[in-house]
Amino acid sequence: MGKDGSSFFFTTMLEETAKWAQKNSLWPMTFGTSCCGIEMMSTISSTYDLARFGAEVVRFSPRQADLLIVAGTITTKMAPVLRTIYDQMLEPKWVIAMGACSSSGGIFDTYSVLQGIDEIMPVDVYVPGCPPIPEGLIHAILHLQKQIDKSLERKPAEKPTFEDSQNAMSYRKSVDGVKANFIITPEYVNEQKNLRGEK
Amino acid sequence: MKTSSVSPNAKYLATQMALTEYLKTQFGTGRKIELDNFEEVIVWAKDPADAKRCVKDFMTDKNIQMDFLSDLTAYDNKDGEDGDKRFVLVYQLFSRTFHTRIRLKCLLDENESALTIVDLFAGANWLEREVYDMFGIDFKGHPNLRRIMMDERFTGHPLRKEYPMKQREPFKDNIRLHLGANEDK
């Protein structure tokens, strides 16, 4: 109790307790679309045993989960589905982008693949690798636990507009005025090399 | 382990070469017949209608019995290496009886439409939809010719050479799952 009668002590303790409970019982909703999904299964099963860190209860329903692990390539056709799943999850919720494809599109810089899931939703932790080893995912979850503990600032869960999602594509950002017909030409490669100071 | 004097590969080659000879005598008139690096036979049909006739004949002919459609695809012949027309349609046929293969090719212009073979091989349905999606080749008589891989609102055909490789078209939502033509359009 404070001197003025406010109950800050109790509320602080409650927040701390809630944080402690949240970080030690992350229930993952798994979204494995390619080879990263195999590593994720390996992480959850007995050899690596994610249960040691309180994240073993895999929910295949977004309503019951509070951690979304996106493991694999997300195509532009799959993106609205993934966004719907994210919207269906209840707050508080966190997102891990596992692997190169879900972080940045990976090697698939083509007409059909989303260049990173951060175009359509906020991401808390990125895991590099193609695919990352199970220790990588465990490290990401431990890192996320630290983030929850420290109440680090999170990006608000807002749906980007269509223009936002288009502008988020890296190659469009780098070239002004070129909207839909961007093709890599020798001139463009030389220009980029000059910008970077290469010869 | 049982050993035989003729290796399986040599036996396969022998049947394949016998098939080539048979095709040259029976189907050689007006059609170009050639071999690839693996001694597998390529038959060039005269036009789309002839391609369908060939598929039907290969299927019903008692001596070759091409009763299995391995694949149906196409490629962009923009450089004109294989002929003066824009696309090449490829049918990969396999005989489950003789274990032989035929590759049937057919040149197609950009505005020309191919004939569907769904009435001969039901499995050609999705393959033809894929070719339509990726190359924009129209199949006359197909029961449900719409995009199979890309979104139905997508414009352009990604595997054509002139399509910019990185041109993406994100959509906010998905089209409702439906069979047949899209009524919402």
Side-chain angles (χ1 to χ4, degrees), chain A residues 33-62:
Chain A
T33 48
S34 51
C35 43
C36 284
I38 307 295
E39 294 295 304
M40 185 175 63
M41 290 169 212
S42 171
T43 315
I44 291 162
S45 34
S46 56
T47 314
Y48 291 95
D49 200 12
L50 206 55
R52 293 178 293 161
F53 311 105
E56 83 277 23
V57 196
V58 178
R59 296 280 125 178
F60 292 100
S61 154

Side-chain angles (χ1 to χ4, degrees), chain B residues 156-169:
Chain B
H157 301 285
L159 288 194
R160 288 189 177 192
K161 291 285 184 199
E162 78 266 17
Y163 191 89
M165 193 181 79
K166 298 178 180 181
Q167 182 172 308
R168 280 176 280 269
E169 271 187 57

